[in-house]
Amino acid sequence: SATHQTPRATFARAAPPAMGVLQRNALDIAVDARTRGADTAAAAADILAAVGALAECSSQLEHEPLKGAVSGATAQLFAHIEGRCREFVAALLLMGTCNGGGESDDLAYDKLWTLRLMGNRSEVTRRWIIEANGLRVISQVMIARPGHSKLQKEGAWLVYVLAGIDGLVELLQYGRACPAVQEAAAWAIYELALKQRERGQAGAAEWTQAESIIALLSQALNSPNAEFGILWACSSALRLLVESMPCRGNLFVANGGAEAALVALRAGQSAGPDGSPLIVAGMQLITALVDGNAAVAQKLRSLGALDVLVACGLRLPGKVTDETMWTLGQVGGILAVLQVMNSAPADSEAVGSGLRAIAKLAWLPLEEGLQQQFPQAAEALVNLTRRMETSGVMSEKTYQALGGVLHVLAPRIVPGAWTVMDD
């Protein structure tokens, strides 16, 4: 009949729109998408507010049959929401099967991000994920995509949201065969320890898992052909663990840590200009190890650490810090500090750091072998004093260092016996 006939105009091919119209249409679509997203979020918040109000009513209403009706409806609503949310979480976790299910890396990243956001806000969601063997699934997703740095970081922090530091320990264990996963876990440990310290918390000093973490990070650091990233991350994390409780340095050294730290420094040297971050991290780790620990300093000397440390110090004249010079002094004595100082400009921070380290070392009990360096050091400092201006901060530091050295030598050398002392 005529009422079922489609007008001919419907089948006519429309003329293509002009380019400006296409551009405006694309812009309108994008704006509409953003508007719909904002509207959806607002509507969801409004619905959740209504659900919350129902829950409040069900607990406060006093008269039947309304109280029973509201309580029953609220319970059914909650059960429905919980069931659908749990189904959604289970669907997100399916990405870990079959090597990620063939999904793109970015889609897998979005799923991890969604799980972390939900887990961060909901205790019951965290329980669902853990009950579904989520920690292993997440580690599998990370292992399957070692080249996606954002996914690695997101996965590590999701594991922490789910299981805290214990989760990061488990991730290090799962990721033994995947340096990218170990690197992500190490950086998460480093950032967590650093944030806790900056907030004035006890932080890593109270971590009961510290020994396990040190053992696992030591293994990663000692891995054959360990790459730059894992060496940098492990050195940084281990440094904070040792700094927070220096006695842990002995555990690290017992796990081959001294050798591993030197391997990291050499890797930094081999990387050329790009190796500076690893050299700094390695020097900071060794600083934490030797501070007040003569046995570790001796161990490092026996491994030939002095040549490596001096070479690294010479590589970083603009980045030499007080702790770096202090490390050089504790491992190699005052002459090692002077060797690096001599390669730097006279007014540089390296010279100032070296002078502070010498002044501090001179007032501490040192091994006899290191004390034998003091006469040569005194001569070098006297010459340095003569070149300095008579006033100024650097001159003051030079006199402090020289005074410390002379304090050690004075009881051993009678007046007139040595021109350097007399001068």
Side-chain angles (χ1 to χ4, degrees):
S1 65
T3 56
H4 291 90
Q5 290 180 355
T6 305
R8 185 181 300 274
T10 303
F11 294 94
R13 177 171 298 185
M19 182 58 69
V21 174
L22 286 174
Q23 292 174 342
R24 285 196 298 274
N25 289 344
L27 180 60
D28 291 342
I29 291 171
V31 172
D32 288 345
R34 287 195 296 268
T35 302
R36 285 195 302 273
D39 290 344
T40 301
D46 192 46
I47 292 172
L48 289 175
V51 173
L54 274 176
E56 185 178 349
C57 291
S58 66
S59 64
Q60 295 185 14
L61 284 171
E62 298 179 357
H63 304 292
E64 297 292 352
L66 182 60
K67 179 178 177 63
V70 172
S71 298
T74 302
Q76 291 179 359
L77 184 58
F78 281 160
H80 177 72
I81 294 174
E82 179 180 354
R84 296 305 302 271
C85 284
R86 189 162 191 167
E87 289 174 6
F88 180 66
V89 168
L92 290 175
L93 288 172
L94 285 177
M95 64 184 174
T97 62
C98 302
N99 195 30
E103 296 172 342
S104 71
D105 292 354
D106 289 337
L107 179 57
Y109 165 79
D110 285 347
K111 289 185 174 183
L112 290 181
W113 179 87
T114 303
L115 287 170
R116 184 169 72 89
L117 189 63
M118 293 178 69
N120 223 4
R121 298 184 182 182
S122 169
E123 181 179 352
V124 70
T125 301
R126 294 194 292 272
R127 189 173 72 244
W128 295 337
I129 297 173
I130 292 172
E131 290 174 353
N133 203 21
L135 293 179
R136 180 172 289 278
V137 170
I138 295 162
S139 67
Q140 291 172 346
V141 173
M142 296 172 69
I143 291 170
R145 298 169 174 84
H148 198 294
S149 59
K150 288 179 62 179
L151 182 145
Q152 295 295 324
K153 183 176 181 178
E154 192 65 44
W157 282 112
L158 171 56
V159 166
Y160 175 73
V161 166
L162 295 174
I165 299 171
D166 287 327
L168 293 174
V169 172
E170 197 168 339
L171 185 61
L172 283 171
Q173 294 170 335
Y174 284 148
R176 279 195 177 103
C178 183
V181 174
Q182 291 184 310
E183 180 181 341
W187 279 126
I189 290 167
Y190 168 80
E191 292 176 22
L192 183 63
L194 185 62
K195 288 178 181 177
Q196 290 181 349
R197 187 173 71 177
E198 289 174 347
R199 293 170 183 163
Q201 301 170 342
E206 295 184 348
W207 289 1
T208 58
Q209 308 88 343
E211 291 189 5
S212 297
I213 294 173
I214 288 173
L216 290 165
L217 292 179
S218 299
Q219 291 174 13
L221 203 58
N222 275 306
S223 299
N225 303 317
E227 297 183 355
F228 186 97
I230 187 68
L231 294 174
W232 184 13
C234 288
S235 297
S236 300
L238 284 162
R239 188 254 299 183
L240 291 184
L241 289 168
V242 173
E243 282 182 351
S244 64
M245 189 175 288
C247 63
R248 291 172 180 163
N250 295 323
L251 174 63
F252 174 58
V253 172
N255 281 278
E259 294 86 348
L262 294 179
V263 168
L265 285 178
R266 292 189 180 101
Q269 288 179 285
S270 301
D274 295 334
S276 295
L278 179 53
I279 292 177
V280 172
M283 294 286 273
Q284 289 175 331
L285 173 58
I286 292 177
T287 298
L289 290 172
V290 303
D291 194 13
N293 196 328
V296 174
Q298 176 58 38
K299 172 73 172 179
L300 286 165
R301 279 197 297 274
S302 70
L303 295 172
L306 183 56
D307 290 340
V308 179
L309 292 172
V310 170
C312 288
L314 294 174
R315 279 279 306 276
L316 300 170
K319 298 181 180 179
V320 174
T321 61
D322 289 351
E323 60 186 15
T324 301
M325 286 299 194
W326 178 237
T327 302
L328 282 170
Q330 287 197 299
V331 175
I334 291 177
L335 292 183
V337 177
L338 286 168
Q339 184 176 350
V340 176
M341 287 171 54
N342 289 336
S343 70
D347 58 348
S348 70
E349 182 57 31
V351 174
S353 296
L355 292 171
R356 283 191 290 272
I358 292 172
K360 186 177 177 182
L361 286 164
W363 292 91
L364 293 177
L366 294 174
E367 303 169 33
E368 183 64 29
L370 297 182
Q371 290 186 15
Q372 293 176 1
Q373 299 179 3
F374 276 52
Q376 189 176 347
E379 188 171 0
L381 288 170
V382 167
N383 292 332
L384 181 61
T385 303
R386 289 170 177 161
R387 296 198 304 269
M388 290 288 178
E389 298 179 1
T390 56
S391 62
V393 175
M394 196 64 74
S395 178
E396 180 181 347
K397 293 176 182 176
T398 307
Y399 282 113
Q400 288 173 347
L402 179 59
V405 171
L406 296 180
H407 158 75
V408 175
L409 294 175
R412 307 180 183 187
I413 301 175
V414 298
W418 189 34
T419 56
V420 173
M421 286 289 291
D422 294 337
D423 291 343

